[in-house]
Short mmCIF file of all heavy atoms in Angstrom, two decimals:
data_model
loop_
_atom_site.label_atom_id
_atom_site.label_comp_id
_atom_site.label_asym_id
_atom_site.label_seq_id
_atom_site.Cartn_x
_atom_site.Cartn_y
_atom_site.Cartn_z
N MET A 12 0.85 -1.19 0.00
CA MET A 12 0.00 0.00 0.00
C MET A 12 0.89 1.24 0.00
O MET A 12 1.78 1.35 0.81
CB MET A 12 -0.90 -0.01 1.24
CG MET A 12 -1.81 1.20 1.28
SD MET A 12 -3.15 1.04 2.47
CE MET A 12 -2.35 1.40 4.00
N THR A 13 0.62 2.16 -0.89
CA THR A 13 1.39 3.39 -0.96
C THR A 13 0.53 4.55 -0.50
O THR A 13 -0.69 4.49 -0.50
CB THR A 13 1.88 3.66 -2.40
OG1 THR A 13 0.76 3.83 -3.23
CG2 THR A 13 2.76 2.53 -2.91
N ASP A 14 1.22 5.64 -0.13
CA ASP A 14 0.51 6.81 0.36
C ASP A 14 -0.36 7.46 -0.70
O ASP A 14 -1.35 8.10 -0.39
CB ASP A 14 1.50 7.85 0.89
CG ASP A 14 2.07 7.45 2.24
OD1 ASP A 14 1.47 6.61 2.93
OD2 ASP A 14 3.11 8.00 2.59
N ASP A 15 0.00 7.29 -1.99
CA ASP A 15 -0.78 7.95 -3.02
C ASP A 15 -1.76 7.00 -3.71
O ASP A 15 -2.28 7.32 -4.77
CB ASP A 15 0.12 8.65 -4.03
CG ASP A 15 1.18 7.73 -4.61
OD1 ASP A 15 1.22 6.56 -4.23
OD2 ASP A 15 1.96 8.20 -5.44
N ALA A 16 -2.02 5.85 -3.12
CA ALA A 16 -3.03 4.95 -3.67
C ALA A 16 -4.40 5.59 -3.51
O ALA A 16 -4.73 6.09 -2.44
CB ALA A 16 -2.98 3.61 -2.95
N PRO A 17 -5.20 5.59 -4.57
CA PRO A 17 -6.49 6.27 -4.49
C PRO A 17 -7.41 5.66 -3.43
O PRO A 17 -7.59 4.46 -3.36
CB PRO A 17 -7.09 6.09 -5.88
CG PRO A 17 -6.15 5.28 -6.67
CD PRO A 17 -4.95 4.98 -5.85
N GLY A 18 -7.95 6.54 -2.60
CA GLY A 18 -8.98 6.13 -1.65
C GLY A 18 -8.49 5.43 -0.40
O GLY A 18 -9.27 5.15 0.49
N THR A 19 -7.20 5.11 -0.29
CA THR A 19 -6.76 4.37 0.87
C THR A 19 -6.47 5.28 2.06
O THR A 19 -6.95 5.03 3.15
CB THR A 19 -5.52 3.51 0.56
OG1 THR A 19 -4.51 4.36 0.03
CG2 THR A 19 -5.85 2.40 -0.41
N ASP A 20 -5.67 6.30 1.84
CA ASP A 20 -5.33 7.19 2.94
C ASP A 20 -5.84 8.60 2.70
O ASP A 20 -5.35 9.55 3.28
CB ASP A 20 -3.81 7.24 3.14
CG ASP A 20 -3.29 5.97 3.81
OD1 ASP A 20 -4.07 5.36 4.56
OD2 ASP A 20 -2.13 5.60 3.57
N GLU A 21 -6.82 8.74 1.82
CA GLU A 21 -7.38 10.05 1.55
C GLU A 21 -8.09 10.56 2.81
O GLU A 21 -8.83 9.83 3.44
CB GLU A 21 -8.39 9.98 0.40
CG GLU A 21 -7.74 9.84 -0.96
CD GLU A 21 -6.90 11.04 -1.32
OE1 GLU A 21 -7.38 12.17 -1.18
OE2 GLU A 21 -5.75 10.83 -1.74
N VAL A 22 -7.83 11.81 3.15
CA VAL A 22 -8.45 12.42 4.31
C VAL A 22 -9.26 13.61 3.83
O VAL A 22 -8.77 14.41 3.03
CB VAL A 22 -7.38 12.87 5.33
CG1 VAL A 22 -8.01 13.62 6.47
CG2 VAL A 22 -6.60 11.67 5.83
N ASP A 23 -10.47 13.71 4.30
CA ASP A 23 -11.30 14.86 3.96
C ASP A 23 -10.78 16.05 4.75
O ASP A 23 -10.90 16.09 5.97
CB ASP A 23 -12.76 14.56 4.32
CG ASP A 23 -13.69 15.68 3.93
OD1 ASP A 23 -13.22 16.71 3.38
OD2 ASP A 23 -14.90 15.54 4.16
N THR A 24 -10.16 17.00 4.06
CA THR A 24 -9.55 18.13 4.75
C THR A 24 -10.53 19.28 4.97
O THR A 24 -10.14 20.30 5.52
CB THR A 24 -8.31 18.64 4.00
OG1 THR A 24 -8.70 19.03 2.69
CG2 THR A 24 -7.23 17.57 3.95
N ARG A 25 -11.79 19.11 4.56
CA ARG A 25 -12.75 20.20 4.78
C ARG A 25 -12.87 20.53 6.26
O ARG A 25 -12.95 21.71 6.62
CB ARG A 25 -14.12 19.84 4.20
CG ARG A 25 -14.15 19.94 2.67
CD ARG A 25 -15.48 19.55 2.14
NE ARG A 25 -15.68 18.13 2.44
CZ ARG A 25 -16.77 17.45 2.13
NH1 ARG A 25 -17.76 18.03 1.52
NH2 ARG A 25 -16.87 16.17 2.42
N GLN A 26 -12.89 19.50 7.11
CA GLN A 26 -12.97 19.76 8.55
C GLN A 26 -11.76 20.52 9.04
O GLN A 26 -11.87 21.42 9.88
CB GLN A 26 -13.09 18.44 9.33
CG GLN A 26 -14.42 17.76 9.17
CD GLN A 26 -14.41 16.42 9.89
OE1 GLN A 26 -13.68 15.52 9.51
NE2 GLN A 26 -15.20 16.32 10.93
N LEU A 27 -10.59 20.18 8.52
CA LEU A 27 -9.37 20.88 8.88
C LEU A 27 -9.44 22.33 8.44
O LEU A 27 -9.13 23.24 9.22
CB LEU A 27 -8.15 20.19 8.25
CG LEU A 27 -6.81 20.88 8.45
CD1 LEU A 27 -6.44 20.95 9.92
CD2 LEU A 27 -5.74 20.18 7.64
N ASP A 28 -9.86 22.56 7.20
CA ASP A 28 -9.98 23.93 6.70
C ASP A 28 -10.96 24.75 7.53
O ASP A 28 -10.70 25.90 7.86
CB ASP A 28 -10.42 23.93 5.23
CG ASP A 28 -9.35 23.36 4.31
OD1 ASP A 28 -8.16 23.33 4.69
OD2 ASP A 28 -9.72 22.94 3.19
N GLU A 29 -12.08 24.14 7.89
CA GLU A 29 -13.08 24.84 8.72
C GLU A 29 -12.51 25.16 10.09
O GLU A 29 -12.72 26.25 10.62
CB GLU A 29 -14.34 24.00 8.85
CG GLU A 29 -15.13 23.89 7.56
CD GLU A 29 -16.28 22.90 7.63
OE1 GLU A 29 -16.56 22.36 8.72
OE2 GLU A 29 -16.90 22.66 6.58
N LEU A 30 -11.78 24.22 10.68
CA LEU A 30 -11.16 24.45 11.99
C LEU A 30 -10.18 25.61 11.90
O LEU A 30 -10.21 26.52 12.74
CB LEU A 30 -10.44 23.19 12.46
CG LEU A 30 -9.65 23.37 13.76
CD1 LEU A 30 -10.57 23.38 14.96
CD2 LEU A 30 -8.59 22.30 13.91
N LEU A 31 -9.31 25.58 10.90
CA LEU A 31 -8.32 26.65 10.76
C LEU A 31 -8.98 28.00 10.53
O LEU A 31 -8.58 29.01 11.12
CB LEU A 31 -7.32 26.33 9.65
CG LEU A 31 -6.42 25.12 9.89
CD1 LEU A 31 -5.54 24.85 8.67
CD2 LEU A 31 -5.58 25.28 11.13
N ASP A 32 -10.02 28.03 9.70
CA ASP A 32 -10.75 29.28 9.48
C ASP A 32 -11.31 29.81 10.80
O ASP A 32 -11.26 31.00 11.08
CB ASP A 32 -11.90 29.08 8.49
CG ASP A 32 -11.43 28.95 7.05
OD1 ASP A 32 -10.27 29.31 6.75
OD2 ASP A 32 -12.23 28.48 6.22
N ASP A 33 -11.85 28.90 11.60
CA ASP A 33 -12.47 29.28 12.87
C ASP A 33 -11.44 29.77 13.88
O ASP A 33 -11.59 30.85 14.46
CB ASP A 33 -13.25 28.09 13.44
CG ASP A 33 -13.98 28.44 14.72
OD1 ASP A 33 -14.62 29.53 14.77
OD2 ASP A 33 -13.93 27.65 15.67
N ILE A 34 -10.38 29.01 14.09
CA ILE A 34 -9.45 29.38 15.16
C ILE A 34 -8.54 30.54 14.78
O ILE A 34 -8.05 31.23 15.67
CB ILE A 34 -8.61 28.19 15.66
CG1 ILE A 34 -7.69 27.64 14.58
CG2 ILE A 34 -9.50 27.10 16.22
CD1 ILE A 34 -6.80 26.51 15.07
N TYR A 35 -8.33 30.78 13.51
CA TYR A 35 -7.48 31.89 13.11
C TYR A 35 -8.26 33.19 12.90
O TYR A 35 -7.68 34.21 12.57
CB TYR A 35 -6.68 31.55 11.84
CG TYR A 35 -5.43 30.75 12.16
CD1 TYR A 35 -5.44 29.37 12.09
CD2 TYR A 35 -4.26 31.39 12.54
CE1 TYR A 35 -4.30 28.63 12.38
CE2 TYR A 35 -3.12 30.67 12.83
CZ TYR A 35 -3.14 29.29 12.75
OH TYR A 35 -2.02 28.57 13.04
N HIS A 36 -9.57 33.15 13.11
CA HIS A 36 -10.37 34.37 12.95
C HIS A 36 -9.88 35.42 13.94
O HIS A 36 -10.01 35.25 15.15
CB HIS A 36 -11.86 34.06 13.17
CG HIS A 36 -12.74 35.23 12.91
ND1 HIS A 36 -13.04 35.66 11.64
CD2 HIS A 36 -13.37 36.08 13.75
CE1 HIS A 36 -13.81 36.72 11.72
NE2 HIS A 36 -14.03 36.99 12.98
N GLY A 37 -9.27 36.48 13.43
CA GLY A 37 -8.76 37.55 14.29
C GLY A 37 -7.43 37.25 14.94
O GLY A 37 -6.96 38.02 15.77
N GLN A 38 -6.80 36.14 14.59
CA GLN A 38 -5.51 35.76 15.16
C GLN A 38 -4.48 35.66 14.04
O GLN A 38 -4.78 35.17 12.97
CB GLN A 38 -5.61 34.39 15.85
CG GLN A 38 -6.62 34.31 16.96
CD GLN A 38 -6.19 35.12 18.17
OE1 GLN A 38 -5.02 35.15 18.52
NE2 GLN A 38 -7.13 35.80 18.78
N GLU A 39 -3.26 36.10 14.32
CA GLU A 39 -2.20 35.97 13.32
C GLU A 39 -1.46 34.65 13.45
O GLU A 39 -1.15 34.00 12.46
CB GLU A 39 -1.19 37.11 13.45
CG GLU A 39 -1.66 38.39 12.82
CD GLU A 39 -0.54 39.41 12.75
OE1 GLU A 39 0.61 39.02 12.49
OE2 GLU A 39 -0.83 40.58 12.95
N ARG A 40 -1.14 34.25 14.69
CA ARG A 40 -0.37 33.03 14.92
C ARG A 40 -0.99 32.29 16.10
O ARG A 40 -1.42 32.90 17.06
CB ARG A 40 1.09 33.36 15.21
CG ARG A 40 1.76 34.09 14.04
CD ARG A 40 3.22 34.36 14.27
NE ARG A 40 4.05 33.18 14.17
CZ ARG A 40 4.41 32.58 13.03
NH1 ARG A 40 3.97 33.05 11.89
NH2 ARG A 40 5.20 31.54 13.04
N ILE A 41 -0.97 30.96 16.00
CA ILE A 41 -1.53 30.12 17.06
C ILE A 41 -0.56 28.97 17.29
O ILE A 41 0.03 28.44 16.35
CB ILE A 41 -2.93 29.60 16.68
CG1 ILE A 41 -3.89 30.79 16.54
CG2 ILE A 41 -3.45 28.61 17.71
CD1 ILE A 41 -5.30 30.42 16.19
N SER A 42 -0.41 28.58 18.56
CA SER A 42 0.53 27.51 18.88
C SER A 42 0.01 26.15 18.45
O SER A 42 -1.20 25.93 18.33
CB SER A 42 0.81 27.49 20.39
OG SER A 42 -0.33 27.01 21.08
N GLN A 43 0.94 25.24 18.25
CA GLN A 43 0.59 23.86 17.89
C GLN A 43 -0.32 23.27 18.96
O GLN A 43 -1.29 22.59 18.64
CB GLN A 43 1.88 23.02 17.72
CG GLN A 43 1.64 21.56 17.38
CD GLN A 43 1.45 20.67 18.61
OE1 GLN A 43 1.72 21.05 19.73
NE2 GLN A 43 0.96 19.47 18.36
N ALA A 44 -0.03 23.53 20.22
CA ALA A 44 -0.83 22.99 21.32
C ALA A 44 -2.27 23.50 21.25
O ALA A 44 -3.22 22.73 21.46
CB ALA A 44 -0.20 23.34 22.67
N ASP A 45 -2.44 24.78 20.94
CA ASP A 45 -3.80 25.33 20.84
C ASP A 45 -4.55 24.76 19.63
O ASP A 45 -5.74 24.46 19.72
CB ASP A 45 -3.77 26.85 20.75
CG ASP A 45 -3.44 27.51 22.08
OD1 ASP A 45 -3.61 26.85 23.13
OD2 ASP A 45 -3.03 28.68 22.08
N ILE A 46 -3.84 24.59 18.53
CA ILE A 46 -4.47 23.99 17.35
C ILE A 46 -4.93 22.58 17.70
O ILE A 46 -6.06 22.18 17.40
CB ILE A 46 -3.51 23.96 16.14
CG1 ILE A 46 -3.15 25.39 15.70
CG2 ILE A 46 -4.12 23.18 14.98
CD1 ILE A 46 -2.00 25.45 14.69
N TYR A 47 -4.07 21.82 18.37
CA TYR A 47 -4.41 20.44 18.73
C TYR A 47 -5.61 20.40 19.68
O TYR A 47 -6.53 19.60 19.48
CB TYR A 47 -3.20 19.73 19.34
CG TYR A 47 -3.47 18.27 19.59
CD1 TYR A 47 -3.41 17.35 18.56
CD2 TYR A 47 -3.80 17.81 20.86
CE1 TYR A 47 -3.68 16.01 18.77
CE2 TYR A 47 -4.08 16.47 21.08
CZ TYR A 47 -4.02 15.58 20.03
OH TYR A 47 -4.30 14.26 20.25
N ARG A 48 -5.60 21.25 20.69
CA ARG A 48 -6.72 21.28 21.65
C ARG A 48 -8.04 21.57 20.94
O ARG A 48 -9.05 20.93 21.20
CB ARG A 48 -6.48 22.35 22.72
CG ARG A 48 -5.75 21.83 23.94
CD ARG A 48 -5.83 22.82 25.09
NE ARG A 48 -5.09 24.05 24.79
CZ ARG A 48 -3.79 24.19 25.00
NH1 ARG A 48 -3.08 23.21 25.48
NH2 ARG A 48 -3.20 25.33 24.71
N ARG A 49 -8.01 22.54 20.05
CA ARG A 49 -9.24 22.89 19.32
C ARG A 49 -9.67 21.76 18.37
O ARG A 49 -10.85 21.52 18.18
CB ARG A 49 -9.05 24.19 18.54
CG ARG A 49 -8.83 25.42 19.43
CD ARG A 49 -10.11 25.89 20.12
NE ARG A 49 -11.11 26.35 19.21
CZ ARG A 49 -11.25 27.60 18.77
NH1 ARG A 49 -10.41 28.53 19.17
NH2 ARG A 49 -12.22 27.91 17.93
N ALA A 50 -8.70 21.07 17.79
CA ALA A 50 -9.02 19.95 16.90
C ALA A 50 -9.67 18.81 17.67
O ALA A 50 -10.63 18.19 17.19
CB ALA A 50 -7.76 19.47 16.20
N VAL A 51 -9.17 18.53 18.87
CA VAL A 51 -9.77 17.49 19.71
C VAL A 51 -11.19 17.89 20.09
O VAL A 51 -12.12 17.09 19.98
CB VAL A 51 -8.91 17.23 20.97
CG1 VAL A 51 -9.65 16.35 21.96
CG2 VAL A 51 -7.58 16.59 20.59
N ALA A 52 -11.37 19.14 20.50
CA ALA A 52 -12.70 19.62 20.87
C ALA A 52 -13.67 19.57 19.70
O ALA A 52 -14.86 19.31 19.88
CB ALA A 52 -12.61 21.05 21.42
N ALA A 53 -13.16 19.78 18.48
CA ALA A 53 -13.99 19.74 17.28
C ALA A 53 -14.21 18.31 16.78
O ALA A 53 -14.89 18.10 15.79
CB ALA A 53 -13.36 20.58 16.18
N GLU A 54 -13.60 17.34 17.48
CA GLU A 54 -13.74 15.92 17.14
C GLU A 54 -13.30 15.61 15.71
O GLU A 54 -13.97 14.88 14.98
CB GLU A 54 -15.16 15.44 17.41
CG GLU A 54 -15.57 15.59 18.85
CD GLU A 54 -16.98 15.12 19.14
OE1 GLU A 54 -17.73 14.79 18.20
OE2 GLU A 54 -17.33 15.07 20.32
N LEU A 55 -12.14 16.17 15.33
CA LEU A 55 -11.58 15.85 14.03
C LEU A 55 -11.17 14.38 14.00
O LEU A 55 -10.87 13.80 15.03
CB LEU A 55 -10.36 16.73 13.75
CG LEU A 55 -10.62 17.95 12.86
CD1 LEU A 55 -11.65 18.87 13.47
CD2 LEU A 55 -9.36 18.68 12.57
N PRO A 56 -11.14 13.78 12.82
CA PRO A 56 -10.77 12.37 12.70
C PRO A 56 -9.34 12.12 13.21
O PRO A 56 -8.49 13.02 13.15
CB PRO A 56 -10.83 12.10 11.19
CG PRO A 56 -11.64 13.21 10.62
CD PRO A 56 -11.48 14.38 11.53
N PRO A 57 -9.09 10.91 13.69
CA PRO A 57 -7.76 10.57 14.23
C PRO A 57 -6.61 10.85 13.27
O PRO A 57 -5.53 11.24 13.70
CB PRO A 57 -7.86 9.07 14.52
CG PRO A 57 -9.32 8.82 14.72
CD PRO A 57 -10.04 9.79 13.83
N THR A 58 -6.83 10.68 11.97
CA THR A 58 -5.75 10.95 11.00
C THR A 58 -5.34 12.41 11.04
O THR A 58 -4.14 12.72 11.02
CB THR A 58 -6.22 10.58 9.58
OG1 THR A 58 -6.65 9.22 9.59
CG2 THR A 58 -5.12 10.76 8.57
N LEU A 59 -6.31 13.31 11.13
CA LEU A 59 -5.99 14.74 11.20
C LEU A 59 -5.37 15.09 12.54
O LEU A 59 -4.44 15.90 12.61
CB LEU A 59 -7.24 15.59 10.94
CG LEU A 59 -7.78 15.54 9.51
CD1 LEU A 59 -9.07 16.33 9.40
CD2 LEU A 59 -6.76 16.06 8.52
N LEU A 60 -5.86 14.49 13.63
CA LEU A 60 -5.28 14.74 14.94
C LEU A 60 -3.81 14.31 14.97
O LEU A 60 -2.97 14.99 15.55
CB LEU A 60 -6.07 14.02 16.03
CG LEU A 60 -7.48 14.54 16.29
CD1 LEU A 60 -8.17 13.68 17.34
CD2 LEU A 60 -7.47 16.00 16.71
N SER A 61 -3.51 13.19 14.31
CA SER A 61 -2.13 12.71 14.25
C SER A 61 -1.24 13.70 13.51
O SER A 61 -0.10 13.95 13.91
CB SER A 61 -2.06 11.35 13.55
OG SER A 61 -2.73 10.38 14.30
N ARG A 62 -1.75 14.27 12.42
CA ARG A 62 -0.98 15.27 11.67
C ARG A 62 -0.69 16.48 12.54
O ARG A 62 0.43 17.00 12.54
CB ARG A 62 -1.75 15.74 10.44
CG ARG A 62 -1.82 14.74 9.33
CD ARG A 62 -2.51 15.37 8.15
NE ARG A 62 -2.78 14.39 7.11
CZ ARG A 62 -3.36 14.68 5.97
NH1 ARG A 62 -3.74 15.92 5.71
NH2 ARG A 62 -3.57 13.74 5.08
N ILE A 63 -1.69 16.94 13.28
CA ILE A 63 -1.52 18.12 14.12
C ILE A 63 -0.54 17.81 15.25
O ILE A 63 0.34 18.61 15.57
CB ILE A 63 -2.87 18.62 14.66
CG1 ILE A 63 -3.74 19.09 13.50
CG2 ILE A 63 -2.66 19.74 15.68
CD1 ILE A 63 -5.20 19.32 13.86
N ALA A 64 -0.68 16.63 15.87
CA ALA A 64 0.21 16.23 16.95
C ALA A 64 1.66 16.14 16.48
O ALA A 64 2.59 16.35 17.26
CB ALA A 64 -0.24 14.91 17.54
N ALA A 65 1.86 15.82 15.20
CA ALA A 65 3.21 15.67 14.65
C ALA A 65 3.89 17.01 14.34
O ALA A 65 5.10 17.04 14.08
CB ALA A 65 3.17 14.81 13.40
N LEU A 66 3.15 18.10 14.37
CA LEU A 66 3.76 19.41 14.12
C LEU A 66 4.75 19.72 15.23
O LEU A 66 4.48 19.47 16.40
CB LEU A 66 2.70 20.52 14.14
CG LEU A 66 1.78 20.68 12.95
CD1 LEU A 66 0.75 21.77 13.25
CD2 LEU A 66 2.57 21.03 11.70
N PRO A 67 5.89 20.29 14.87
CA PRO A 67 6.82 20.73 15.91
C PRO A 67 6.17 21.82 16.78
O PRO A 67 5.33 22.58 16.30
CB PRO A 67 8.00 21.32 15.12
CG PRO A 67 7.89 20.71 13.76
CD PRO A 67 6.42 20.49 13.53
N GLN A 68 6.55 21.85 18.04
CA GLN A 68 6.05 22.88 18.94
C GLN A 68 6.41 24.25 18.37
O GLN A 68 7.46 24.42 17.77
CB GLN A 68 6.67 22.73 20.34
CG GLN A 68 6.27 21.46 21.05
CD GLN A 68 4.78 21.41 21.36
OE1 GLN A 68 4.19 22.39 21.81
NE2 GLN A 68 4.17 20.27 21.11
N GLY A 69 5.53 25.20 18.58
CA GLY A 69 5.77 26.55 18.09
C GLY A 69 4.47 27.18 17.64
O GLY A 69 3.40 26.60 17.80
N GLU A 70 4.58 28.39 17.11
CA GLU A 70 3.40 29.11 16.63
C GLU A 70 3.41 29.13 15.11
O GLU A 70 4.46 29.21 14.48
CB GLU A 70 3.39 30.54 17.18
CG GLU A 70 3.15 30.57 18.67
CD GLU A 70 2.91 31.98 19.18
OE1 GLU A 70 3.24 32.95 18.47
OE2 GLU A 70 2.39 32.10 20.29
N TYR A 71 2.20 29.08 14.57
CA TYR A 71 2.03 29.01 13.12
C TYR A 71 1.02 30.03 12.64
O TYR A 71 0.00 30.24 13.29
CB TYR A 71 1.54 27.61 12.72
CG TYR A 71 2.52 26.52 13.04
CD1 TYR A 71 2.52 25.89 14.26
CD2 TYR A 71 3.48 26.16 12.10
CE1 TYR A 71 3.44 24.91 14.57
CE2 TYR A 71 4.41 25.17 12.40
CZ TYR A 71 4.38 24.55 13.63
OH TYR A 71 5.30 23.58 13.92
N ALA A 72 1.31 30.63 11.48
CA ALA A 72 0.32 31.44 10.79
C ALA A 72 -0.61 30.46 10.07
O ALA A 72 -0.25 29.30 9.84
CB ALA A 72 1.01 32.36 9.78
N VAL A 73 -1.79 30.91 9.70
CA VAL A 73 -2.77 30.02 9.09
C VAL A 73 -2.24 29.36 7.81
O VAL A 73 -2.45 28.17 7.59
CB VAL A 73 -4.12 30.73 8.84
CG1 VAL A 73 -3.99 31.81 7.77
CG2 VAL A 73 -5.20 29.73 8.45
N ASP A 74 -1.51 30.11 6.99
CA ASP A 74 -1.01 29.51 5.76
C ASP A 74 0.07 28.46 6.04
O ASP A 74 0.13 27.44 5.36
CB ASP A 74 -0.51 30.58 4.78
CG ASP A 74 0.57 31.47 5.35
OD1 ASP A 74 0.63 31.65 6.58
OD2 ASP A 74 1.36 32.01 4.55
N GLU A 75 0.87 28.69 7.06
CA GLU A 75 1.89 27.70 7.44
C GLU A 75 1.22 26.42 7.94
O GLU A 75 1.59 25.31 7.55
CB GLU A 75 2.79 28.23 8.56
CG GLU A 75 3.67 29.40 8.15
CD GLU A 75 4.33 30.06 9.34
OE1 GLU A 75 3.76 30.09 10.45
OE2 GLU A 75 5.45 30.56 9.14
N ALA A 76 0.23 26.58 8.82
CA ALA A 76 -0.48 25.43 9.37
C ALA A 76 -1.19 24.64 8.27
O ALA A 76 -1.09 23.42 8.22
CB ALA A 76 -1.46 25.87 10.45
N ALA A 77 -1.87 25.34 7.39
CA ALA A 77 -2.59 24.68 6.30
C ALA A 77 -1.62 23.92 5.40
O ALA A 77 -1.89 22.78 5.00
CB ALA A 77 -3.40 25.68 5.50
N ASP A 78 -0.50 24.54 5.09
CA ASP A 78 0.49 23.91 4.22
C ASP A 78 1.06 22.64 4.87
O ASP A 78 1.14 21.59 4.24
CB ASP A 78 1.61 24.90 3.90
CG ASP A 78 2.59 24.36 2.89
OD1 ASP A 78 2.15 23.81 1.86
OD2 ASP A 78 3.81 24.48 3.13
N LEU A 79 1.42 22.73 6.13
CA LEU A 79 2.01 21.58 6.83
C LEU A 79 1.01 20.46 7.08
O LEU A 79 1.38 19.30 7.13
CB LEU A 79 2.60 22.04 8.17
CG LEU A 79 3.84 22.92 8.05
CD1 LEU A 79 4.17 23.55 9.40
CD2 LEU A 79 5.03 22.12 7.53
N LEU A 80 -0.27 20.81 7.23
CA LEU A 80 -1.27 19.82 7.57
C LEU A 80 -2.03 19.29 6.35
O LEU A 80 -2.84 18.38 6.48
CB LEU A 80 -2.27 20.40 8.57
CG LEU A 80 -1.67 20.78 9.93
CD1 LEU A 80 -2.66 21.55 10.76
CD2 LEU A 80 -1.17 19.54 10.66
N GLY A 81 -1.79 19.88 5.20
CA GLY A 81 -2.46 19.40 4.00
C GLY A 81 -3.82 20.02 3.74
O GLY A 81 -4.60 19.53 2.94
N GLY A 82 -4.09 21.13 4.40
CA GLY A 82 -5.35 21.84 4.17
C GLY A 82 -5.18 22.90 3.11
O GLY A 82 -4.12 23.04 2.51
N SER A 83 -6.25 23.66 2.88
CA SER A 83 -6.15 24.70 1.86
C SER A 83 -6.55 26.07 2.39
O SER A 83 -6.70 27.00 1.63
CB SER A 83 -7.05 24.35 0.66
OG SER A 83 -8.38 24.24 1.09
N ALA A 84 -6.74 26.19 3.70
CA ALA A 84 -7.11 27.49 4.29
C ALA A 84 -5.98 28.48 4.06
O ALA A 84 -4.82 28.14 4.14
CB ALA A 84 -7.40 27.35 5.77
N ALA A 85 -6.37 29.70 3.79
CA ALA A 85 -5.34 30.73 3.61
C ALA A 85 -5.86 32.06 4.06
O ALA A 85 -7.03 32.27 4.11
CB ALA A 85 -4.89 30.80 2.17
#
């Protein structure tokens, strides 16, 4: 099984995009820990939570977070 096999590891990133839009409203940068906490509260799928948990500690702008997590929020 490869990562780019159709339909096997595809993740619906709409929830991620919606989360980022919501938490970055009026904020320039948010910490990885805050993004993760909000993702857990929003009950994002385990695959997305794993991606967020894998981010290095630090603060991210919305475009940085979206790029690193595979979303499209900007």
Side-chain angles (χ1 to χ4, degrees):
M12 180 166 79
T13 63
D14 285 340
D15 53 0
T19 55
D20 285 332
E21 285 296 311
V22 175
D23 183 359
T24 59
R25 285 178 295 179
Q26 289 176 294
L27 175 63
D28 293 339
E29 290 172 6
L30 174 77
L31 294 177
D32 286 344
D33 183 45
I34 65 177
Y35 278 95
H36 185 75
Q38 302 290 321
E39 280 191 38
R40 300 183 73 76
I41 297 181
S42 72
Q43 178 273 347
D45 286 340
I46 296 169
Y47 186 79
R48 269 193 293 275
R49 294 287 295 271
V51 169
E54 300 180 353
L55 261 60
T58 305
L59 291 175
L60 292 177
S61 295
R62 287 184 188 181
I63 296 167
L66 284 175
Q68 295 295 316
E70 291 190 343
Y71 296 89
V73 67
D74 57 334
E75 293 169 328
D78 186 47
L79 291 168
L80 296 171
S83 60

